[in-house]
Amino acid sequence: MRRQLLAALTIALGTGGLGLTTQAASASGLELSLQLTSHKTGTPTGATLHIVYPNDGPGGKPKPVSLGVYQFPSGTTVDEAPVPVCPASDAEFELLGTAACAAASALGGGGITVDTGFGPPIDPLALDDSYCHGTGQRLSLFGPHEAPGPVWQVNRLQIKGATIIDRPSLPPGYPQGSKAVAKEVNQEIALVSSGGEAFMTTPPSCPRSGRWISQLTITYEDGTVETETSATPCVR
């Protein structure tokens, strides 16, 4: 898998809603928007994620992340039962790409750009990210942009109630011994329902502020921790 990415790099070298501001930026320059797609209480929903990481790490790249904890608004429910499980192994993903999962297990996806350290014209390198449902997991399948396969990297994010826990794993970067790091993320958990039950449901009430609050806590590999919040407008 890593050899595939390095070979590819070598070849390459020759919803706002209701008028409220919902994207936040921290003092470090981290930008976050983590929103539910429905603004009504107790309804099926998806979620959107937009992150821009600041270039404040080694070599002017974003810092490598060791842990990301995504907390959806209090009262949000996640029910895995309506979505079939994809049992594929990492080896099957590497061989078959996203076809290793049945379409019914899909949970959305999007794109991510990474900084490999090679510099232009390689960086920023665009990858597609497809979501599938694993047992207690949201699988993120990274592969070449606008290509059916192969899958270069599989991240298995833990689902714990209305929280998703990510211990990211990205391909190696340049120079040797470094890592490719996420620069910008644009992804979506699809609204998925079956038999009247939804994978995600909005909280049962809307607070007086008219905003549901999501939170992202990032732990970087250098031990620093950063927390940012994002608001979804809701209808009382």
Side-chain angles (χ1 to χ4, degrees), residues 104-166:
S105 69
L107 282 174
I112 178 173
T113 57
V114 299
D115 191 327
T116 65
F118 278 97
I122 296 298
D123 293 323
L125 176 67
L127 300 175
D128 288 338
D129 186 9
S130 300
Y131 292 168
C132 291
H133 178 219
T135 302
Q137 297 175 329
R138 195 207 70 195
L139 311 181
S140 285
L141 315 176
F142 296 104
H145 181 51
E146 296 184 344
V151 170
W152 280 343
Q153 198 79 31
V154 181
N155 278 0
R156 296 178 177 269
L157 287 68
Q158 180 185 2
I159 299 173
K160 190 173 182 179
T163 299
I164 293 179
I165 301 171
D166 181 17

Side-chain angles (χ1 to χ4, degrees), residues 46-210:
T48 59
L49 173 65
H50 173 72
I51 303 175
V52 178
Y53 292 95
N55 295 324
D56 57 357
K61 299 193 302 184
K63 293 192 294 186
V65 175
S66 61
L67 178 67
V69 179
Y70 300 83
Q71 295 175 283
F72 291 105
S74 177
T76 303
T77 59
V78 175
D79 182 1
E80 297 183 61
V83 188
V85 169
C86 175
S89 66
D90 289 8
E92 289 172 315
F93 284 125
E94 186 173 355
L95 178 66
L96 301 173
T98 55
C101 282
S105 69
L107 282 174
I112 178 173
T113 57
V114 299
D115 191 327
T116 65
F118 278 97
I122 296 298
D123 293 323
L125 176 67
L127 300 175
D128 288 338
D129 186 9
S130 300
Y131 292 168
C132 291
H133 178 219
T135 302
Q137 297 175 329
R138 195 207 70 195
L139 311 181
S140 285
L141 315 176
F142 296 104
H145 181 51
E146 296 184 344
V151 170
W152 280 343
Q153 198 79 31
V154 181
N155 278 0
R156 296 178 177 269
L157 287 68
Q158 180 185 2
I159 299 173
K160 190 173 182 179
T163 299
I164 293 179
I165 301 171
D166 181 17
R167 293 175 176 84
S169 175
L170 287 172
Y174 180 86
Q176 187 174 1
S178 68
K179 293 183 178 181
V181 291
K183 186 171 181 65
E184 183 170 353
V185 177
N186 288 286
Q187 300 171 343
E188 180 173 5
I189 297 177
L191 192 165
V192 180
S193 62
S194 177
E197 301 295 329
F199 178 72
M200 290 185 70
T201 303
T202 60
S205 62
C206 177
R208 295 186 65 180
S209 65

